[in-house]
Amino acid sequence: MFLLAMRSIRHRPGRFLATLLSAFLGAAIIMTFNSMHDTAARDGVDATSAETLSTAAGVVGGYGTLLVFFAVASTLTVNVRRRAAELELLRCSGATPAQLKRMVVGEAVVVALAGAALAIGPAMLGGRALLEVFQNSGQVAESVGHSFGPIAFLPGIGITLLAAAGAAFLAVRRATRGRQRPGRARKFLVYAALLAGVASATSTFAFSASDAALMAPAAYGAILLSVGLALLAPRLLEAVLNRLPLDGASGWLAVRNLRQRAGELAGILMSLILFTAVATATLTMQAVESAAVEASGVAKSIDAKNLETLNFTVVGIIVVFVCVMLVNSLYAATSYRVREFGQQRLAGATEGQVLGTVGVEGLILTVTGVLFGALAALAGIVPFTVVRADEVLPGEIYGIGAAVVAVAAAVTLGTGFFTARRMLRTPAVGAVAVAS
């Protein structure tokens, strides 16, 4: 099966490009920030600089690991779903589920290893650039030199490979076992994330406005709530669809398509919820904190500068990964519908009506993801703002929220529309014949 996996990669490299890109970006981010551990461990580095570098590596490295798994899992799930006919043919030819799992996992590991190897050079350059950012802001001494050692290299390769192998195993396991009801483990994770998020967010009221750790429980609460809502993505989408009174051919067809494909679109909705919640909550709370410090007339401490740098860095990483996940998932999900688009045109639908349906679908997904992501963000923002600034909703939330919604809408609607336009270039008869 391993030889079959290698032949599959060699003959159809384009299929694995999305996985390669996700693994490359994930490994680059993990190695870039883990190199701060190597730098902090060098001889002659002062305690303040070492603490700054270690904190950045620890916090962002944890986020990076989680995002690598989500990104690789998203692309591999779409890839395996598109290969359902191929996997079924192999099963009919005598392949066992265990052999299919070894084949898909082997493909994922080889592609992830290639992506991690390609990321070494950019990670070295990124580590040097990151160190210069800390030095320019006065958080790290100018005499500290960058180091890229085993702490950066080994975890970067290992985490990327483990994420790819685990995500591939789960994806092919779902494909070979067919549709099933959510298990107890998933339900437990949902309830645990929601309860822990509520507890963390409400614990913010136990802090005072001057506590250095005030932002932590509010931010973690918003993140945990967004994870819980993201795990409920299929049910949330179905609940929204049941309450949409859309008229017209495009609206009716869009709702019908989304209802039938709710499980398949869960990855896209999960990305939108996580992106909206984490970006809105983190940027808004940081804006409130910066405004409060500026109003007090006190210069920012090293810890405050570290927190601000980490917040902006985390949001930047999330934006990059979510955009990659959304583009990969949407492109694969839309391009897979070439036969469906051909059938619609043969039934009398115009290209404008097909594009209108895709546009309505993208709009519904965007609104649903932004809505529940905003609710999770508000659950963290409101307690923090009440304690820190003695107000419920800060003025900064409106501009930040509008920017987050604009990015989410541009990526979701733009990718779906662009891919659909490309699929419509194929003649309707040819699209149905080729896809059959």
Side-chain angles (χ1 to χ4, degrees):
M1 297 306 290
F2 183 76
L3 293 177
L4 183 61
M6 297 302 98
R7 291 173 182 172
S8 179
I9 296 174
R10 185 169 63 253
H11 290 292
R12 286 169 287 186
R15 172 187 292 173
F16 301 94
L17 184 59
T19 304
L20 178 67
L21 178 60
S22 298
F24 168 79
L25 290 174
I29 290 173
I30 293 174
M31 288 190 283
T32 294
F33 282 92
N34 278 354
S35 69
M36 297 299 101
H37 282 307
D38 290 310
T39 303
R42 293 186 60 173
D43 295 334
V45 178
D46 60 280
T48 301
S49 298
E51 182 180 0
T52 298
L53 296 171
S54 298
T55 301
V59 175
V60 182
Y63 277 108
T65 301
L66 181 63
L67 290 170
V68 168
F69 182 82
F70 272 111
V72 175
S74 176
T75 55
L76 283 173
T77 299
V78 174
N79 191 353
V80 171
R81 186 178 296 121
R82 294 186 66 185
R83 300 172 62 186
E86 175 188 342
L87 296 178
E88 184 62 26
L89 179 61
L90 289 173
R91 290 185 64 181
C92 294
S93 301
T96 64
Q99 289 175 321
L100 295 179
K101 291 174 185 176
R102 288 198 295 270
M103 182 188 74
V104 176
V105 171
E107 293 172 354
V109 169
V110 170
V111 173
L113 182 60
L118 293 173
I120 295 175
M124 290 181 177
L125 298 177
R128 293 180 184 276
L130 181 62
L131 178 61
E132 291 180 1
V133 170
F134 285 124
Q135 291 174 334
N136 293 336
S137 62
Q139 298 166 257
V140 175
E142 293 289 343
S143 59
V144 176
H146 179 254
S147 178
F148 190 91
I151 302 179
F153 178 76
L154 295 178
I157 299 291
I159 290 173
T160 304
L161 294 181
L162 286 176
F169 178 82
L170 293 177
V172 73
R173 184 171 180 265
R174 286 194 297 266
T176 55
R177 293 179 65 179
R179 290 187 177 183
Q180 293 185 338
R181 296 175 61 87
R184 294 181 179 179
R186 185 183 182 90
K187 291 181 179 179
F188 173 79
L189 290 176
V190 170
Y191 291 131
L194 293 177
L195 290 175
V198 171
S200 181
T202 53
S203 68
T204 306
F205 294 107
F207 292 79
S208 66
S210 58
D211 284 334
L214 175 63
M215 192 183 301
Y220 287 138
I223 293 171
L224 289 171
L225 286 171
S226 67
V227 170
L229 292 175
L231 292 173
L232 286 173
R235 294 187 180 182
L236 296 178
L237 181 57
E238 291 176 358
V240 170
L241 294 175
N242 291 334
R243 291 165 176 78
L244 281 180
L246 289 180
D247 298 325
S250 296
W252 179 86
L253 188 58
V255 171
R256 181 177 178 275
N257 289 338
L258 289 175
R259 184 175 287 112
Q260 291 185 341
R261 299 165 55 229
E264 299 177 9
L265 298 173
I268 299 172
L269 193 56
M270 288 174 64
S271 302
L272 286 170
I273 293 174
L274 291 171
F275 166 67
T276 303
V278 177
T280 304
T282 305
L283 291 177
T284 302
M285 285 189 277
Q286 182 58 57
V288 172
E289 176 66 22
S290 298
V293 172
E294 185 177 353
S296 66
V298 179
K300 289 184 179 181
S301 63
I302 295 296
D303 290 337
K305 290 181 178 180
N306 288 343
L307 181 61
E308 184 176 6
T309 302
L310 287 176
N311 285 336
F312 288 130
T313 304
V314 167
V315 172
I317 292 173
I318 291 173
V319 169
V320 171
F321 261 92
V322 169
C323 286
V324 171
M325 291 166 64
L326 281 175
V327 170
N328 286 341
S329 300
L330 281 168
Y331 182 84
T334 307
S335 61
Y336 187 65
R337 301 170 63 188
V338 59
R339 183 171 185 267
E340 174 189 338
F341 294 158
Q343 290 175 328
Q344 291 175 4
R345 285 182 287 164
L346 290 177
T350 64
E351 291 188 5
Q353 288 174 323
V354 175
L355 292 175
T357 300
V358 174
V360 174
E361 292 174 3
L363 183 60
I364 294 173
L365 284 175
T366 303
V367 171
T368 304
V370 168
L371 172 63
F372 289 104
L375 291 176
L378 287 173
I381 292 172
V382 171
F384 174 81
T385 308
V386 168
V387 176
R388 189 70 174 95
D390 197 22
E391 58 181 345
V392 178
L393 282 180
E396 294 86 351
I397 193 173
Y398 301 106
I400 293 173
V404 171
V405 172
V407 173
V411 174
T412 306
L413 298 176
T415 304
F417 186 80
F418 171 78
T419 308
R421 285 291 300 269
R422 287 196 60 187
M423 297 303 103
L424 290 176
R425 293 177 184 174
T426 305
V429 176
V432 173
V434 172
S436 296

